[in-house]
């Protein structure tokens, strides 16, 4: 694992990059109380760079949406995968996150030689992989993956809101806000809630 201090401050070609395609991987939705966890894998085209890539949390929703479309149009390939609420409850959120990452990498139509994953944990892969702390702000392919995962999950939350309008998923995106916790206490959990998460478990009647 490489720490932030050992990485360049700007997003440039990585000094340890191997010959061949490099995929960036990131996730969205580890913390929320409802909905799947989402992971994305992206292989960017070095000859067709995308300007403005950054950690998705540092971008506005409008900018993320614009970049979402641009990444999908200009990347060499990408894949978005999920681990379901049921899988989260069965194997825990960390293992479900790693599972979603593995699914995203394995769904790429081009096989990478190296996979760079945001954070400090790696999914089990048959491809060489490295974990990079704060990689979503340092490595363009990881930034792109973070944007795809975040926008995809936010759109899933819009669908969840249509199915379960009492909870306000369109506003808090499943996180444990005061509004969400109050709705859980008033109505109990819905089918999309993660039953093993403590605030949800406490709301069961």
């Amino acid at each position: 694992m490489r720490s932030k201090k050992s990485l360049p401050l700007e997003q440039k070609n990585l000094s340890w990059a191997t010959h061949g395609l490099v995929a960036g991987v990131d996730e969205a939705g580890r913390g929320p109380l409802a909905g799947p966890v989402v992971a994305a894998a992206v292989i960017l085209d070095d000859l067709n760079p995308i300007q403005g890539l950054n950690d998705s949390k540092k971008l506005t929703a409008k900018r993320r949406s614009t970049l979402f479309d641009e990444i999908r149009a200009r990347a060499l390939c990408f894949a978005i995968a999920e681990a379901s609420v049921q899988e989260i409850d069965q194997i825990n959120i960390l293992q479900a996150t790693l599972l979603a990452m593995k699914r995203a990498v394995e769904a790429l139509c081009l096989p990478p030689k190296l996979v760079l994953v945001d954070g400090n944990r790696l999914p089990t892969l048959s491809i060489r992989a490295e974990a990079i702390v704060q990689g979503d702000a340092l490595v363009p392919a990881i930034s792109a993956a973070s944007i795809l995962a975040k926008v995809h999950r936010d759109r899933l939350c819009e669908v969840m809101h249509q199915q379960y309008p009492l909870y306000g998923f369109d506003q808090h995106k499943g996180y444990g806000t005061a509004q969400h916790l109050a709705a859980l206490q008033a109505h109990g959990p819905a089918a999309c809630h993660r039953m093993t998460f403590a605030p949800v478990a406490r709301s069961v009647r």
Side-chain angles (χ1 to χ4, degrees):
M1 183 184 75
R2 294 174 183 267
S3 68
K4 181 181 177 183
K5 292 182 179 178
S6 67
L7 292 167
L9 294 178
E10 67 280 356
Q11 294 190 340
K12 297 292 185 182
N13 290 332
L14 302 174
S15 60
W16 66 91
T18 187
H19 294 293
L21 299 176
V22 177
V25 177
D26 202 2
E27 55 76 26
R30 282 187 65 175
L33 307 179
V37 62
V38 175
V42 180
I43 299 177
L44 293 176
D45 183 355
D46 291 339
L47 300 180
N48 190 18
I50 299 171
Q51 300 301 315
L53 293 175
N54 202 342
D55 174 2
S56 63
K57 296 184 291 295
K58 298 179 181 178
L59 302 170
T60 65
K62 182 178 179 181
R63 182 60 178 151
R64 283 196 301 265
S65 182
T66 298
L67 285 169
F68 180 88
D69 293 336
E70 190 171 356
I71 293 163
R72 287 164 54 93
R74 296 172 60 185
L76 289 180
C77 66
F78 70 91
I80 301 172
E82 303 172 11
S84 68
V85 170
Q86 292 73 25
E87 289 171 322
I88 292 168
D89 285 339
Q90 288 170 2
I91 62 176
N92 76 49
I93 184 59
L94 173 59
Q95 294 306 315
T97 300
L98 297 176
L99 177 60
M101 288 180 170
K102 177 180 174 68
R103 286 171 174 167
V105 172
E106 292 179 345
L108 289 169
C109 62
L110 298 172
K113 292 291 186 180
L114 175 65
V115 176
L116 304 176
V117 180
D118 182 59
N120 59 6
R121 300 292 294 268
L122 290 171
T124 301
L125 300 169
S126 60
I127 303 164
R128 179 189 165 200
E130 296 193 29
I132 303 176
V133 175
Q134 296 186 10
D136 51 3
L138 296 167
V139 181
I142 299 179
S143 300
S146 77
I147 292 165
L148 292 191
K150 171 66 174 169
V151 173
H152 180 83
R153 191 178 190 285
D154 283 355
R155 291 177 180 178
L156 289 178
C157 288
E158 297 289 342
V159 175
M160 286 165 50
H161 177 66
Q162 296 300 317
Q163 296 173 324
Y164 308 103
L166 296 174
Y167 298 91
F169 290 120
D170 59 329
Q171 298 178 48
H172 52 65
K173 304 300 187 285
Y175 284 92
T177 63
Q179 175 196 9
H180 192 182
L181 295 177
L184 273 171
Q185 290 303 312
H187 308 292
C192 62
H193 278 101
R194 302 173 182 178
M195 298 303 300
T196 53
F197 280 41
V200 179
R202 287 195 296 266
S203 70
V204 176
R205 299 180 180 186

